[in-house]
């Protein structure tokens, strides 16, 4: 079983915090789609003959694509891959694109899971982030999606924003849980170099939220999600009734995936690949049949670090039995020894040989993770 990720590198407007690869110049969209088809044909063997269990349209903004463009993609996917009839097909969409007609079209082409980028339910914060939508539209987009028959609905929120109060965050969360979503991805704001938010932070024109306030917002997120019946199955991901993102869960449990499009990453258990992060370079590369990606073969040490990195923040945790089976008794022993201090300090817990992070541990997951990794 494997997954396919398709990066759609176009946005109608750039949000001030975002460093995902994208361009607002959409004149190359059709050339880009032809390159995508060429790439799929060239790279299909990377994940062998595995059946495709999940497809994920990410971005950028996949909802800039029209019906013909989506049909074009689905046609070549079914030419080159064995897509399971029950495959989870997720589509990231911006609220301002989700008209009733567009939602109906997404249903017709075969999308069965939507991930809507809400980010906030406060107009003031949406404006500060340079989002194109307002709170009213955000609510409407989720309601319209549910009416169009999308039951597997996910939404994104960002917290830790400059000036975001605990009361505002609570009201955004409560608003979200009143809507028909079964999944929430809630990310703490990251200041990425090269984004306007980062520049303003460095200049001092934008003030970072205090660590104490960030922690309070993280705690509130977990409490409100729990009250609404959502399980935290990864540090930033919450689901009702076990409706996890199958695609992302597959990343975290080490399954193979093929990434298509500029900046997309791929993994097949033995190597990692990442594509050039530039539309023109990507198109040019496909015209010249040049590789267009960089590749790293994974050593045993890399594989172990990859295991820690992907698993530690999830409910599946790190298992001493799996580590023993795949990396040997000695490494399993080291992991158990390293975990001791975290068990004592209450940052980790252990159930039947599986170590997972407690809420206290999730706050410091970056530091904790590096302690387990082999340098
Ligand atoms: C590929 S992006 C956006 C998809 C879609 N274009 C949208 O904006 O709704 C996926 C998600 O990453 C999150 N994100 C992007 N940049 C972030 C940052 N700097 N800090 C925290 N979350 C971020 C946002 O919640 C966003 O919805
Ligand atoms: S958050 Fe979404 S819409 Fe905004 S710039 Fe990033 S990819 Fe584009």
């Amino acid at each position: 079983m494997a997954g396919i990720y398709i990066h759609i590198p176009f946005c109608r407007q750039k949000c001030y915090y975002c460093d995902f690869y994208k361009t607002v110049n959409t004149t190359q969209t059709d050339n880009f789609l032809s390159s995508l088809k060429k790439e799929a044909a060239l790279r299909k063997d990377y994940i062998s003959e595995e059946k495709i269990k999940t497809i994920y349209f990410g971005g950028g903004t996949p909802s800039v694509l029209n019906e013909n463009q989506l049909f074009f993609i689905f046609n070549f996917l079914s030419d080159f891959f064995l897509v399971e009839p029950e495959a989870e097909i997720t589509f990231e969409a911006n609220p301002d694109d989700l008209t009733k007609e567009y939602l109906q079209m997404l249903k017709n082409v075969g999308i069965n899971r939507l991930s809507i980028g809400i980010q906030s339910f406060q107009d003031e914060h949406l404006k500060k982030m340079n989002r194109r939508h307002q709170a009213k539209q955000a609510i409407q987009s989720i309601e319209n999606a549910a009416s169009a028959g999308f039951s597997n609905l996910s939404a994104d929120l960002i917290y830790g924003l400059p000036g975001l109060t605990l009361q505002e965050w609570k009201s955004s969360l409560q608003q979200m849980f009143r809507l028909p979503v079964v999944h929430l991805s809630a990310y703490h704001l990251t200041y990425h170099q090269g984004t306007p938010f980062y520049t303003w932070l460095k200049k001092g024109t934008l003030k970072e939220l205090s660590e104490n306030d960030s922690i309070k917002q993280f705690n509130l997120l977990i409490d409100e999600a729990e009250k609404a019946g959502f399980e935290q199955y990864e540090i930033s991901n919450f689901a009702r009734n076990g409706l996890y993102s199958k695609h992302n869960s597959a990343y975290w449990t080490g399954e193979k995936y093929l990434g298509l499009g500029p900046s997309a990453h791929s993994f097949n258990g033995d190597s990692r690949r990442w594509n050039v992060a530039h539309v023109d370079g990507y198109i040019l590369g496909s015209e010249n049949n040049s590789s267009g990606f960089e590749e790293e073969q994974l050593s045993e040490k890399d594989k172990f670090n990859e295991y820690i990195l992907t698993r530690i923040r999830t409910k599946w945790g790190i298992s001493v039995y799996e580590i023993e089976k795949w990396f040997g008794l000695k490494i399993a022993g080291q992991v158990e020894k390293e975990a001791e201090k975290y068990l004592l300090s209450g940052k980790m817990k252990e159930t039947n040989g599986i170590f997972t992070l407690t809420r206290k541990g999730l706050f410091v997951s970056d530091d904790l993770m590096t302690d387990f990794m082999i340098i």
Side-chain angles (χ1 to χ4, degrees):
M1 291 290 191
I4 294 179
Y5 171 84
I6 302 181
H7 191 78
I8 308 297
F10 305 107
C11 288
R12 299 190 199 278
Q13 159 174 315
K14 290 187 185 181
C15 306
Y16 293 149
Y17 53 81
C18 178
D19 90 327
F20 282 88
Y21 175 67
K22 75 266 165 191
T23 166
V24 288
N25 174 4
T26 51
T27 53
Q28 292 276 45
T29 310
D30 285 328
N31 287 337
F32 157 75
L33 291 173
S34 306
S35 302
L36 207 57
K37 181 176 177 178
K38 278 192 195 163
E39 190 191 9
L42 270 172
R43 314 253 185 272
K44 60 183 188 329
D45 295 338
Y46 184 71
I47 44 172
S48 333
E49 302 268 291
E50 301 260 355
K51 282 192 181 160
I52 303 302
K53 198 174 71 171
T54 62
I55 298 174
Y56 194 102
F57 289 87
T61 305
S63 51
V64 300
L65 297 177
N66 62 32
E67 183 170 19
N68 287 340
Q69 292 166 333
L70 283 170
F71 268 126
F72 176 81
I73 297 178
F74 278 110
N75 280 339
F76 75 68
L77 288 179
S78 60
D79 286 347
F80 303 140
F81 302 96
L82 271 169
V83 182
E84 289 259 286
E86 298 300 309
E88 175 193 89
I89 306 179
T90 306
F91 192 82
E92 281 184 351
N94 287 36
D96 40 294
D97 292 324
L98 294 180
T99 60
K100 288 184 179 164
E101 296 71 31
Y102 193 78
L103 283 158
Q104 200 49 58
M105 181 280 283
L106 292 180
K107 253 249 108 197
N108 296 344
V109 298
I111 306 292
N112 53 30
R113 183 172 184 273
L114 280 185
S115 169
I116 309 178
I118 302 293
Q119 323 309 355
S120 169
F121 285 108
Q122 277 96 33
D123 286 340
E124 180 207 334
H125 289 290
L126 289 167
K127 198 161 173 233
K128 278 194 202 159
M129 289 187 261
N130 203 32
R131 296 293 292 176
R132 292 181 78 231
H133 68 274
Q134 295 193 328
K136 217 170 126 193
Q137 247 174 325
I139 297 172
Q140 197 66 56
S141 69
I142 296 179
E143 285 172 345
N144 287 348
S147 307
F150 285 99
S151 52
N152 204 350
L153 263 185
S154 179
D156 292 350
L157 284 177
I158 303 182
Y159 63 103
L161 288 165
L164 180 72
T165 65
L166 199 62
Q167 197 45 48
E168 284 173 328
W169 179 228
K170 187 171 188 171
S171 122
S172 269
L173 287 168
Q174 291 181 341
Q175 172 62 72
M176 182 62 83
F177 294 129
R178 281 195 293 275
L179 290 165
V181 292
V182 294
H183 188 280
L184 169 69
S185 300
Y187 304 105
H188 189 284
L189 174 71
T190 308
Y191 290 90
H192 295 285
Q193 206 168 355
T195 61
F197 264 23
Y198 182 87
T199 310
W200 299 331
L201 179 73
K202 292 291 149 193
K203 274 195 192 154
T205 47
L206 183 152
K207 197 165 167 280
E208 193 171 7
L209 209 67
S210 74
E211 196 182 333
N212 196 26
D213 285 342
S214 282
I215 292 175
K216 281 188 190 155
Q217 293 188 7
F218 182 61
N219 266 320
L220 186 70
L221 163 67
I222 301 174
D223 290 339
E224 290 296 320
E226 205 174 298
K227 270 196 240 164
F230 280 63
E231 176 194 0
Q232 184 178 29
Y233 70 103
E234 195 266 347
I235 189 165
S236 309
N237 286 283
F238 301 80
R240 200 178 252 164
N241 302 329
L243 286 161
Y244 313 139
S245 157
K246 288 187 189 157
H247 186 81
N248 289 339
S249 304
Y251 284 156
W252 298 321
T253 48
E255 287 188 39
K256 296 177 184 179
Y257 57 89
L258 176 66
L260 303 173
S263 82
H265 284 59
S266 306
F267 170 80
N268 71 356
D270 293 317
S271 71
R272 248 195 307 246
R273 285 180 178 179
W274 54 100
N275 285 356
V276 27
H278 199 282
V279 178
D280 293 337
Y282 176 76
I283 295 172
L284 203 68
S286 89
E287 281 164 2
N288 300 332
N289 279 334
S290 69
S291 72
F293 64 85
E294 288 185 61
E295 183 165 23
E296 183 187 12
Q297 292 301 324
L298 301 175
S299 64
E300 277 307 291
K301 186 184 86 177
D302 295 332
K303 287 181 189 174
F304 171 76
N305 287 344
E306 187 86 19
Y307 176 87
I308 298 291
L309 190 89
T310 49
R311 291 288 281 269
I312 202 160
R313 295 192 183 97
T314 71
K315 69 171 257 179
W316 297 284
I318 48 181
S319 153
V320 273
Y321 302 115
E322 281 178 351
I323 294 176
E324 191 181 317
K325 188 165 77 188
W326 296 327
F327 307 104
L329 205 60
K330 189 170 159 222
I331 295 193
Q334 282 167 5
V335 167
E336 276 182 307
K337 194 161 183 313
E338 194 62 53
E340 264 170 35
K341 64 173 185 276
Y342 293 119
L343 291 173
L344 277 172
S345 62
K347 294 192 176 87
M348 282 189 127
K349 60 182 187 317
E350 188 255 346
T351 322
N352 299 329
I354 295 172
F355 295 98
T356 48
L357 298 182
T358 60
R359 195 187 284 209
K360 210 169 152 191
L362 282 170
F363 287 131
V364 286
S365 60
D366 278 348
D367 299 343
L368 212 140
M369 186 170 67
T370 43
D371 273 359
F372 280 94
M373 286 163 71
I374 304 174
I375 312 155

